[in-house]
Amino acid sequence: MNIRTIDWKNNKVRLIDQTKLPEKLVYLNIDNLKDLWQAIKIMQVRGAPALGAASALGVYLGVRDYKGNTWLGFQRRLKNAAQYIASSRPTARNLFLGIERVIAVALKNRECPISKIKQSILKEAKMIMQEDMLSCRKIGYYGAKLLQNNSNILTICNAGILATIDYGTALGVLYWAVSKGKRIKVYSSETRPLLQGSRLTAWELNKQGVDVTMIADNTAAKLMQEQKIDLVITGADCIAANGDSANKIGTLNLAILCKYHKIPFYVAVPRSTFDFKIKSGKDILIEMRDPSEVTKIMFKRLVAPQGVKVLNPAFDITNHELITAIITDQGIIRPPYKKNIMKILKVI
Ligand code: MRU
C-alpha cells in the first residue's frame, strides 16, 4: 500500500484530510492539540484505528510544550490533554485506548526527567501506529480464508486504508485476498449521511485496482434478493465482551438483511477495538451528530425543510447473534462469543 492515513512527520501530525476526498488528496500538518481535536470532530481523520493513533499523538501535542520540571505539574497537563482529546468523539474504543496507553507509559516513567517522559509518550504513539500496520495485515491473512474465488462482497462505511494507518480491517481482508490472486467484486454502500462508502471506500478500492461498484444504501436488499451478494464484511468502532458490535449507522440493517437471506455477516477488527469492560452493546456510547449532516448534502445543498427535527446517530449496534464471525488479528472468532472472545484473544 502506498497511502499513509496518519503519520508523525517533521514534528507534526501528518494526515490525509478525508473531508476533501474523493475530489482532492490533501495532507494536513497539525502541530497543536486544538487543531487535532477539530480534525477528529469534523472527521478529517476518522475510523477507529486511525483515531487511536490520532488521540495518542494528540496527547503528545498537548504536553510537549510543557515548560515545568515537576511530575505533579506535568501530570496535570497530561490529564487536561487526555480529557480534551477524549471529548472529540465518544464511540471508537481505539481513541480511548490510545489515550490510556500513553498515560500508562507516562506513569511508568514518572521518576524520569520530564523530557524523557515526553519522549516515552511519543514513542508509544508511534508504536500504536506500527502495531496497527501489522494487525491489519494479520486480519487480512485470517479473513481472506473466508473468501472464495469470485466472491461478491458488500461493505459499508470505510474500514480500509483511510480508517487505519495504511491497510484496513474489513478492506484489509479484501486486499489480502486480491494479493493472493483471488478475484472479487465489491459493492460499496454509499453510507449516508457523510458518504464514507462512496467518497472513501470506492476511492481507495479504485486506487488499489479492486473491482468496486457503488450502491445507494437502500439498494442492499434488492441485491441480496437477486443473490448478488455472497457475504457482507464491515469494521467496528467498539465490540463488547459478548460480541455486540458498534459500527456505522446502517450496519445493523445489513446484518438483519443477511440473516433473512442466509448470507454470512462478518466483522473485522483488531484486538484493540474490543472493550472487555463493556458487557453488551447496550452500554456502548453512541455518538449523536449535528443535524446539518442529514439536512444538507455534504453541508451544501439543503435537502430537508429548514429547521426540521433530525435524529442523527453516527453508529448502531449489531447484536452478536447476527454476526457469523469476528475476524481479528489473533484469528477468527465464532459463536459462542462470550467464551470464544476470551479464549482467542487470551483475555485474563
Ligand atoms: O464515523 P466514522 O467514519 O469514523 O465511522 C467509521 C466506521 O464506522 C468504521 O467502520 C469503523 O471505525 C471501523 S474502521 C476500521
Side-chain angles (χ1 to χ4, degrees), residues 156-194:
I156 183 169
C157 195
N158 173 268
I161 296 171
L162 293 166
T164 59
I165 306 305
D166 74 338
Y167 198 76
T169 57
L171 300 193
V173 170
L174 311 187
Y175 292 137
W176 191 280
V178 169
S179 78
K180 297 296 163 208
K182 284 188 183 156
R183 287 231 297 260
I184 57 171
K185 181 173 177 63
V186 184
Y187 290 94
S188 177
S189 196
E190 65 176 345
T191 319
R192 273 280 285 157
L194 291 183

Short mmCIF file of all heavy atoms in Angstrom, two decimals, residues 156-194:
data_model
loop_
_atom_site.label_atom_id
_atom_site.label_comp_id
_atom_site.label_asym_id
_atom_site.label_seq_id
_atom_site.Cartn_x
_atom_site.Cartn_y
_atom_site.Cartn_z
N ILE A 156 -19.88 -1.51 4.08
CA ILE A 156 -20.48 -0.20 4.38
C ILE A 156 -19.43 0.68 5.04
O ILE A 156 -18.48 0.17 5.64
CB ILE A 156 -21.72 -0.36 5.30
CG1 ILE A 156 -22.41 0.99 5.55
CG2 ILE A 156 -21.38 -1.04 6.61
CD1 ILE A 156 -23.79 0.90 6.22
N CYS A 157 -19.61 1.98 4.93
CA CYS A 157 -18.70 2.96 5.51
C CYS A 157 -17.30 2.75 4.95
O CYS A 157 -17.14 2.28 3.81
CB CYS A 157 -18.72 2.89 7.04
SG CYS A 157 -17.97 4.33 7.83
N ASN A 158 -16.29 3.06 5.72
CA ASN A 158 -14.92 2.80 5.27
C ASN A 158 -14.14 2.18 6.40
O ASN A 158 -13.91 2.82 7.44
CB ASN A 158 -14.23 4.09 4.81
CG ASN A 158 -12.76 3.83 4.50
OD1 ASN A 158 -11.89 3.98 5.36
ND2 ASN A 158 -12.48 3.40 3.29
N ALA A 159 -13.77 0.93 6.22
CA ALA A 159 -12.91 0.23 7.18
C ALA A 159 -11.66 -0.20 6.41
O ALA A 159 -11.26 -1.35 6.42
CB ALA A 159 -13.64 -0.96 7.78
N GLY A 160 -11.09 0.78 5.73
CA GLY A 160 -9.95 0.49 4.87
C GLY A 160 -8.70 1.23 5.27
O GLY A 160 -8.52 1.58 6.44
N ILE A 161 -7.87 1.49 4.26
CA ILE A 161 -6.63 2.24 4.49
C ILE A 161 -6.95 3.52 5.26
O ILE A 161 -6.28 3.89 6.22
CB ILE A 161 -6.00 2.61 3.12
CG1 ILE A 161 -5.60 1.36 2.36
CG2 ILE A 161 -4.81 3.56 3.31
CD1 ILE A 161 -5.17 1.62 0.91
N LEU A 162 -8.00 4.20 4.83
CA LEU A 162 -8.31 5.53 5.38
C LEU A 162 -8.86 5.49 6.80
O LEU A 162 -8.98 6.53 7.44
CB LEU A 162 -9.31 6.24 4.45
CG LEU A 162 -8.72 6.59 3.07
CD1 LEU A 162 -9.83 6.95 2.10
CD2 LEU A 162 -7.71 7.72 3.19
N ALA A 163 -9.20 4.30 7.29
CA ALA A 163 -9.70 4.19 8.66
C ALA A 163 -8.62 3.67 9.59
O ALA A 163 -8.84 3.56 10.80
CB ALA A 163 -10.90 3.26 8.70
N THR A 164 -7.48 3.32 9.01
CA THR A 164 -6.39 2.74 9.80
C THR A 164 -5.12 3.52 9.46
O THR A 164 -5.19 4.65 8.97
CB THR A 164 -6.24 1.24 9.46
OG1 THR A 164 -5.96 1.11 8.05
CG2 THR A 164 -7.51 0.46 9.78
N ILE A 165 -3.97 2.90 9.67
CA ILE A 165 -2.74 3.63 9.34
C ILE A 165 -2.45 3.51 7.84
O ILE A 165 -2.20 4.49 7.16
CB ILE A 165 -1.54 3.11 10.17
CG1 ILE A 165 -1.86 3.14 11.67
CG2 ILE A 165 -0.27 3.91 9.86
CD1 ILE A 165 -2.30 4.48 12.21
N ASP A 166 -2.55 2.26 7.33
CA ASP A 166 -2.19 2.14 5.91
C ASP A 166 -2.74 0.88 5.22
O ASP A 166 -2.27 0.53 4.14
CB ASP A 166 -0.66 2.16 5.75
CG ASP A 166 -0.02 0.86 6.20
OD1 ASP A 166 -0.64 0.11 6.98
OD2 ASP A 166 1.10 0.56 5.74
N TYR A 167 -3.68 0.15 5.85
CA TYR A 167 -4.10 -1.10 5.19
C TYR A 167 -5.60 -1.38 5.28
O TYR A 167 -6.24 -1.70 4.27
CB TYR A 167 -3.32 -2.28 5.78
CG TYR A 167 -3.33 -3.53 4.92
CD1 TYR A 167 -2.54 -3.63 3.77
CD2 TYR A 167 -4.11 -4.62 5.27
CE1 TYR A 167 -2.54 -4.78 2.99
CE2 TYR A 167 -4.11 -5.78 4.50
CZ TYR A 167 -3.33 -5.85 3.36
OH TYR A 167 -3.33 -6.99 2.59
N GLY A 168 -6.14 -1.29 6.49
CA GLY A 168 -7.58 -1.55 6.63
C GLY A 168 -7.89 -2.84 7.35
O GLY A 168 -7.08 -3.77 7.40
N THR A 169 -9.11 -2.90 7.89
CA THR A 169 -9.57 -4.11 8.58
C THR A 169 -10.47 -4.91 7.63
O THR A 169 -10.01 -5.86 7.01
CB THR A 169 -10.31 -3.72 9.88
OG1 THR A 169 -11.40 -2.84 9.57
CG2 THR A 169 -9.37 -3.05 10.85
N ALA A 170 -11.71 -4.45 7.45
CA ALA A 170 -12.61 -5.15 6.51
C ALA A 170 -12.00 -5.12 5.10
O ALA A 170 -11.93 -6.14 4.41
CB ALA A 170 -13.98 -4.50 6.52
N LEU A 171 -11.53 -3.94 4.69
CA LEU A 171 -10.93 -3.87 3.35
C LEU A 171 -9.56 -4.53 3.32
O LEU A 171 -9.11 -5.00 2.27
CB LEU A 171 -10.84 -2.42 2.87
CG LEU A 171 -12.16 -1.64 2.75
CD1 LEU A 171 -11.95 -0.34 1.98
CD2 LEU A 171 -13.26 -2.46 2.09
N GLY A 172 -8.92 -4.61 4.47
CA GLY A 172 -7.63 -5.33 4.55
C GLY A 172 -7.81 -6.79 4.15
O GLY A 172 -6.96 -7.38 3.48
N VAL A 173 -8.95 -7.36 4.57
CA VAL A 173 -9.26 -8.75 4.19
C VAL A 173 -9.34 -8.85 2.66
O VAL A 173 -8.81 -9.79 2.04
CB VAL A 173 -10.59 -9.20 4.84
CG1 VAL A 173 -11.07 -10.53 4.28
CG2 VAL A 173 -10.44 -9.26 6.36
N LEU A 174 -9.96 -7.86 2.06
CA LEU A 174 -10.13 -7.88 0.60
C LEU A 174 -8.78 -7.68 -0.09
O LEU A 174 -8.45 -8.38 -1.06
CB LEU A 174 -11.12 -6.80 0.15
CG LEU A 174 -12.46 -6.73 0.91
CD1 LEU A 174 -13.40 -5.75 0.24
CD2 LEU A 174 -13.11 -8.12 0.96
N TYR A 175 -7.97 -6.76 0.43
CA TYR A 175 -6.65 -6.52 -0.17
C TYR A 175 -5.79 -7.78 -0.10
O TYR A 175 -5.07 -8.11 -1.03
CB TYR A 175 -5.92 -5.37 0.53
CG TYR A 175 -6.58 -4.02 0.29
CD1 TYR A 175 -6.75 -3.11 1.34
CD2 TYR A 175 -7.03 -3.65 -0.97
CE1 TYR A 175 -7.35 -1.87 1.13
CE2 TYR A 175 -7.64 -2.42 -1.19
CZ TYR A 175 -7.79 -1.53 -0.13
OH TYR A 175 -8.39 -0.32 -0.35
N TRP A 176 -5.87 -8.46 1.05
CA TRP A 176 -5.05 -9.67 1.21
C TRP A 176 -5.50 -10.73 0.20
O TRP A 176 -4.68 -11.37 -0.47
CB TRP A 176 -5.16 -10.20 2.64
CG TRP A 176 -4.13 -11.26 2.92
CD1 TRP A 176 -4.20 -12.57 2.55
CD2 TRP A 176 -2.86 -11.08 3.55
NE1 TRP A 176 -3.06 -13.23 2.93
CE2 TRP A 176 -2.21 -12.34 3.55
CE3 TRP A 176 -2.21 -10.00 4.13
CZ2 TRP A 176 -0.94 -12.54 4.11
CZ3 TRP A 176 -0.95 -10.20 4.69
CH2 TRP A 176 -0.33 -11.45 4.67
N ALA A 177 -6.82 -10.90 0.10
CA ALA A 177 -7.36 -11.92 -0.82
C ALA A 177 -6.92 -11.62 -2.25
O ALA A 177 -6.48 -12.53 -2.98
CB ALA A 177 -8.89 -11.96 -0.72
N VAL A 178 -7.01 -10.35 -2.64
CA VAL A 178 -6.64 -9.98 -4.01
C VAL A 178 -5.14 -10.21 -4.22
O VAL A 178 -4.72 -10.72 -5.27
CB VAL A 178 -7.02 -8.50 -4.28
CG1 VAL A 178 -6.42 -8.00 -5.58
CG2 VAL A 178 -8.54 -8.35 -4.31
N SER A 179 -4.35 -9.90 -3.20
CA SER A 179 -2.89 -10.09 -3.34
C SER A 179 -2.53 -11.57 -3.48
O SER A 179 -1.46 -11.90 -3.97
CB SER A 179 -2.15 -9.46 -2.16
OG SER A 179 -2.25 -10.31 -1.03
N LYS A 180 -3.43 -12.44 -3.02
CA LYS A 180 -3.18 -13.89 -3.16
C LYS A 180 -3.85 -14.44 -4.42
O LYS A 180 -4.02 -15.65 -4.58
CB LYS A 180 -3.71 -14.64 -1.93
CG LYS A 180 -3.01 -14.27 -0.65
CD LYS A 180 -1.53 -14.64 -0.67
CE LYS A 180 -0.76 -13.90 0.40
NZ LYS A 180 0.63 -13.65 0.14
N GLY A 181 -4.31 -13.55 -5.27
CA GLY A 181 -4.81 -14.00 -6.58
C GLY A 181 -6.29 -14.26 -6.64
O GLY A 181 -6.80 -14.72 -7.67
N LYS A 182 -7.03 -13.98 -5.54
CA LYS A 182 -8.48 -14.21 -5.62
C LYS A 182 -9.13 -13.07 -6.39
O LYS A 182 -8.74 -11.90 -6.24
CB LYS A 182 -9.08 -14.30 -4.21
CG LYS A 182 -8.78 -15.64 -3.56
CD LYS A 182 -9.51 -15.85 -2.26
CE LYS A 182 -9.08 -17.19 -1.68
NZ LYS A 182 -9.24 -17.29 -0.25
N ARG A 183 -10.14 -13.45 -7.18
CA ARG A 183 -10.90 -12.41 -7.89
C ARG A 183 -12.15 -12.10 -7.07
O ARG A 183 -12.88 -13.02 -6.68
CB ARG A 183 -11.29 -12.92 -9.28
CG ARG A 183 -10.11 -12.98 -10.22
CD ARG A 183 -10.45 -12.26 -11.53
NE ARG A 183 -11.53 -12.93 -12.22
CZ ARG A 183 -11.36 -13.77 -13.24
NH1 ARG A 183 -10.16 -14.05 -13.67
NH2 ARG A 183 -12.41 -14.32 -13.84
N ILE A 184 -12.39 -10.82 -6.84
CA ILE A 184 -13.57 -10.45 -6.05
C ILE A 184 -14.28 -9.26 -6.70
O ILE A 184 -13.67 -8.51 -7.46
CB ILE A 184 -13.21 -10.09 -4.59
CG1 ILE A 184 -12.18 -8.94 -4.54
CG2 ILE A 184 -12.71 -11.29 -3.82
CD1 ILE A 184 -11.95 -8.39 -3.14
N LYS A 185 -15.56 -9.15 -6.35
CA LYS A 185 -16.31 -7.97 -6.78
C LYS A 185 -16.89 -7.33 -5.52
O LYS A 185 -17.52 -8.03 -4.71
CB LYS A 185 -17.44 -8.42 -7.73
CG LYS A 185 -18.28 -7.27 -8.25
CD LYS A 185 -19.26 -7.79 -9.32
CE LYS A 185 -20.18 -6.68 -9.82
NZ LYS A 185 -19.51 -5.56 -10.48
N VAL A 186 -16.65 -6.05 -5.36
CA VAL A 186 -17.07 -5.39 -4.13
C VAL A 186 -18.18 -4.37 -4.42
O VAL A 186 -18.08 -3.61 -5.38
CB VAL A 186 -15.88 -4.65 -3.46
CG1 VAL A 186 -16.31 -4.03 -2.13
CG2 VAL A 186 -14.70 -5.59 -3.26
N TYR A 187 -19.21 -4.40 -3.58
CA TYR A 187 -20.23 -3.36 -3.61
C TYR A 187 -20.00 -2.47 -2.39
O TYR A 187 -19.89 -2.96 -1.27
CB TYR A 187 -21.63 -3.97 -3.55
CG TYR A 187 -22.01 -4.71 -4.81
CD1 TYR A 187 -21.81 -6.08 -4.91
CD2 TYR A 187 -22.55 -4.03 -5.90
CE1 TYR A 187 -22.15 -6.77 -6.08
CE2 TYR A 187 -22.89 -4.70 -7.07
CZ TYR A 187 -22.68 -6.07 -7.15
OH TYR A 187 -23.01 -6.73 -8.30
N SER A 188 -19.94 -1.18 -2.63
CA SER A 188 -19.73 -0.24 -1.53
C SER A 188 -21.00 0.58 -1.31
O SER A 188 -21.44 1.31 -2.19
CB SER A 188 -18.56 0.68 -1.88
OG SER A 188 -18.38 1.63 -0.87
N SER A 189 -21.58 0.39 -0.11
CA SER A 189 -22.81 1.10 0.20
C SER A 189 -22.44 2.56 0.52
O SER A 189 -21.53 2.82 1.31
CB SER A 189 -23.45 0.43 1.41
OG SER A 189 -24.78 0.81 1.53
N GLU A 190 -23.15 3.50 -0.06
CA GLU A 190 -22.68 4.90 -0.01
C GLU A 190 -22.52 5.47 1.40
O GLU A 190 -21.68 6.30 1.65
CB GLU A 190 -23.62 5.80 -0.82
CG GLU A 190 -25.00 5.88 -0.23
CD GLU A 190 -25.92 6.86 -0.98
OE1 GLU A 190 -25.42 7.68 -1.76
OE2 GLU A 190 -27.13 6.79 -0.76
N THR A 191 -23.37 5.00 2.35
CA THR A 191 -23.24 5.38 3.76
C THR A 191 -23.65 6.82 4.04
O THR A 191 -22.82 7.69 4.36
CB THR A 191 -21.80 5.09 4.31
OG1 THR A 191 -21.33 3.84 3.82
CG2 THR A 191 -21.80 5.10 5.82
N ARG A 192 -24.93 7.04 3.93
CA ARG A 192 -25.50 8.32 4.36
C ARG A 192 -25.29 8.47 5.86
O ARG A 192 -25.32 7.47 6.57
CB ARG A 192 -27.01 8.34 4.06
CG ARG A 192 -27.38 8.80 2.67
CD ARG A 192 -27.35 10.30 2.50
NE ARG A 192 -28.50 10.96 3.11
CZ ARG A 192 -28.50 12.24 3.49
NH1 ARG A 192 -27.43 12.98 3.34
NH2 ARG A 192 -29.56 12.77 4.04
N PRO A 193 -25.11 9.66 6.44
CA PRO A 193 -25.15 10.92 5.70
C PRO A 193 -23.79 11.43 5.19
O PRO A 193 -23.77 12.29 4.32
CB PRO A 193 -25.69 11.90 6.76
CG PRO A 193 -25.19 11.36 8.05
CD PRO A 193 -25.17 9.86 7.90
N LEU A 194 -22.68 10.90 5.70
CA LEU A 194 -21.40 11.54 5.32
C LEU A 194 -20.66 10.80 4.19
O LEU A 194 -19.54 11.16 3.83
CB LEU A 194 -20.49 11.73 6.54
CG LEU A 194 -21.02 12.79 7.52
CD1 LEU A 194 -20.06 13.02 8.68
CD2 LEU A 194 -21.31 14.12 6.83
#
